[in-house]
Amino acid sequence: MPSTSENPQVSHVSVLGLGMMGAALAAALLRAGHSVTVWNRTAAKTGPLVVQGALPAATVADAVAASPLVIVCLTTNDDVREALAPADLSGTVLVNLTNGTPAQARDIAAYARKQGARYLDGGIMAVPQMIASPAAYVLYSGDEQAYETHQPVLAAFGGTKWVGTDPGRAALHDLALLTGMYGMLIGVTQALALVRSAGVTASDFAGPLHAWVSAMLDGVVPGIAEAVDSGQHLTDVSSLAVNQAAFPNLMATYGEQGVSTELFEPFQRLLDRSIAEGHSADGLSRLVELLAASGA
Ligand code: FVH
């Protein structure tokens, strides 16, 4: 842990942005015993953190000047660029935990380097209430030396996972994990809408739904990953032909029950395309190839 001359165990850290997530990050740093300077566009939000021991900064420039390690967590990366514009970043390690794209992360990394700062981009895999719990972790990429130096301080948020020196890599992993989450939520919301249309309460169906989705994730994800990496898509589990034949039953039932089909129409189209392109005997892993080829 980088130390101060007064106390070898304490690091000076500034946190820019005290929304739900930034406030949780600042509170975790305070609980870990660090000296924390806080700034927020709406200054009133510094109050609860100051009560917990944080030092308020009147401007971003003051907050950046107060600490060698600066953590920023705003709504978007455009907000980050705008907020940082008046600050002198030279000599700073900037850790950006704002959600954004890999390209945005690379742009901000280049800007920070030009200003004489070291840059780490991060993807927070937690909601604010999970920060500092064993379930929370943050993905980091960018300046490896900065990561090695400050990892003990960043560990105040939960686990730390290094994913590489490309500053955009953490955002890519973050967005891929969020993709899995949103895909799961698409299924959960559609399933609940369907049972609700037949008078079954969401609470009554939540147990079986959770058990089924969990079992499928446990069984399916490793198998798909192995097939994708080996390029061997032939299956003895569930062929694309079988899935394509069954999928219209889902669509028809949504229609009969008055539930929108809008979330599932694209998947039906992808299954149809997989058959049209001759992949009937392959498993669902083939769809990864079809999607990747479409985006190329
Ligand atoms: N909350 C969550 O569960 C997720 C978990 C994973 C990571 N995300 C990302 O974290 C970023 C911040 O999210 P948040 O939940 O803290 O968001 P808010 O509570 O809405 O706070 C937003 C803060 O950003 C400040 N802000 C917005 N625009 C500007 C600007 N142009 N200049 C300066 N500050 C700005 C805002 O300030 P104010 O409105 O209080 O004045 C808040 O401090 C986000 O990327 C999530 O995707 C959270």
Side-chain angles (χ1 to χ4, degrees), residues 180-223:
M181 180 192 79
Y182 283 121
M184 179 196 69
L185 288 174
I186 285 171
V188 167
T189 51
Q190 186 78 9
L192 294 181
L194 181 58
V195 293
R196 196 160 166 247
S197 74
V200 179
T201 67
S203 303
D204 278 346
F205 202 68
L209 182 60
H210 181 272
W212 172 249
V213 172
S214 302
M216 285 296 100
L217 283 174
D218 287 348
V220 169
V221 175

Side-chain angles (χ1 to χ4, degrees), residues 67-248:
S67 311
L69 178 61
V70 175
I71 290 165
V72 56
C73 188
L74 306 182
T75 308
T76 68
N77 278 328
D78 285 344
D79 301 327
V80 171
R81 290 297 293 262
E82 183 189 321
L84 288 177
D88 174 6
L89 296 178
S90 56
T92 296
V93 172
L94 180 65
V95 182
N96 182 16
L97 301 184
T98 303
N99 183 272
T101 70
Q104 289 169 355
R106 289 184 202 109
D107 279 352
I108 298 181
Y111 172 77
R113 271 197 302 270
K114 217 166 148 191
Q115 300 284 313
R118 290 177 174 274
Y119 182 81
L120 283 172
D121 203 84
I124 303 173
M125 306 318 300
V127 297
Q129 291 70 16
M130 288 165 65
I131 291 299
S133 79
Y137 73 97
V138 181
L139 300 155
Y140 292 99
S141 63
D143 187 313
E144 193 164 8
Q145 191 186 327
Y147 174 76
E148 295 296 340
T149 304
H150 295 287
Q151 187 277 340
V153 177
L154 300 173
F157 306 143
T160 58
K161 188 167 165 52
W162 175 250
V163 290
T165 53
D166 168 6
R169 187 49 76 99
L172 187 89
H173 283 229
D174 180 7
L175 297 177
L177 290 168
L178 291 179
T179 298
M181 180 192 79
Y182 283 121
M184 179 196 69
L185 288 174
I186 285 171
V188 167
T189 51
Q190 186 78 9
L192 294 181
L194 181 58
V195 293
R196 196 160 166 247
S197 74
V200 179
T201 67
S203 303
D204 278 346
F205 202 68
L209 182 60
H210 181 272
W212 172 249
V213 172
S214 302
M216 285 296 100
L217 283 174
D218 287 348
V220 169
V221 175
I224 287 190
E226 194 181 326
V228 168
D229 286 345
S230 66
Q232 301 299 319
H233 295 290
L234 281 177
T235 184
D236 58 2
V237 179
S238 178
S239 69
L240 286 170
V242 160
N243 280 280
Q244 193 232 8
F247 214 78

